[in-house]
Amino acid sequence: MMPGQSGFLTPAGPLTGADPTVFWIFAGATFLMVACSVALALRDAVRLRTALPVVLLVSATAWLPNEPFIDAILGFQYAADAPGELYTLAGRVIPVSALGIGAMFSIFTWYLHRQIVGGASFGRIVAIAVVAGVIDWPLEIMAIQANVFEYYGDNPTRVFGLPFTSMVQNAFLYVFMASIVTLAAPYLRGWRSLLFLPVIPGCYYAVALLCTWPAYLALHGGMATAPFLALGVLAAAMNAAFPLALLRLAFDVRTRSDADARSPAPDPHAPVAA
């Protein structure tokens, strides 16, 4: 276990003592999610005759090289002695369980996108996102308690090791991504769908920097508990407010598209008014 203090963007030392049993339980859940994400993308690509779900999957997987850099901002690190290392970059060990991040981005983002275009209500989309976020909480807490990974530094927003800012971010991040997919989908035809490849990593950076910066400022600035908690609450609120505002925009676009589809085409033979 590492000490609580940390420098700017840097942990005080490597996290060690990862429980191998818990690690492989966590990794097993990851492998299952990866398999489900691939199966879902391929099934819908064939069923809907579109490459978009596969492009979304590839974009979500492209998150992996970014993991060490966003972890430095989040104040997060994996155990240096994780039994299943995937790669090491920028001095940070990234285990095979990190594959599950891209899988979750792919599964939940695509599912929420299909719900949006399929006519689901605003409340239903929010409920699905919250459930997806809640599913993540016990998995993360279990891994944190077993030293598989840790949110480091003096962070009073942690609940059993998991910051409540991350609890909110991990739910509404999918709303943000799904809204972006919905807004972009009409323009992603043919080769243009390749333009979407950098979007999912970009969405994570956008949410982390746009919505959670007050908490990261408090963390890396070494703020006292009271102002840290205040900024943490602000960051949690922003992590819900910004994605929900974008979801509302996606719903407005969907409503206009539905109205246009119902409008009768003009009759070319109709007399022109004088």
Side-chain angles (χ1 to χ4, degrees), residues 116 122 179 182-183 244-260:
I116 294 170
F122 190 91
S179 300
T182 302
L183 293 169
L244 290 178
L246 191 62
L247 177 63
R248 180 59 66 189
L249 176 61
F251 266 66
D252 290 344
V253 171
R254 185 189 75 179
T255 300
R256 288 196 297 269
S257 297
D258 291 345
D260 291 342

Side-chain angles (χ1 to χ4, degrees), residues 89-103:
L89 182 62
R92 289 176 179 261
V93 174
I94 306 300
V96 293
S97 56
L99 290 167
I101 300 173

Side-chain angles (χ1 to χ4, degrees), residues 108 125-137 171 174:
F108 292 125
I125 299 298
V126 174
I128 293 171
V130 170
V131 169
V134 170
I135 288 173
D136 175 70
W137 298 353
Y174 304 123

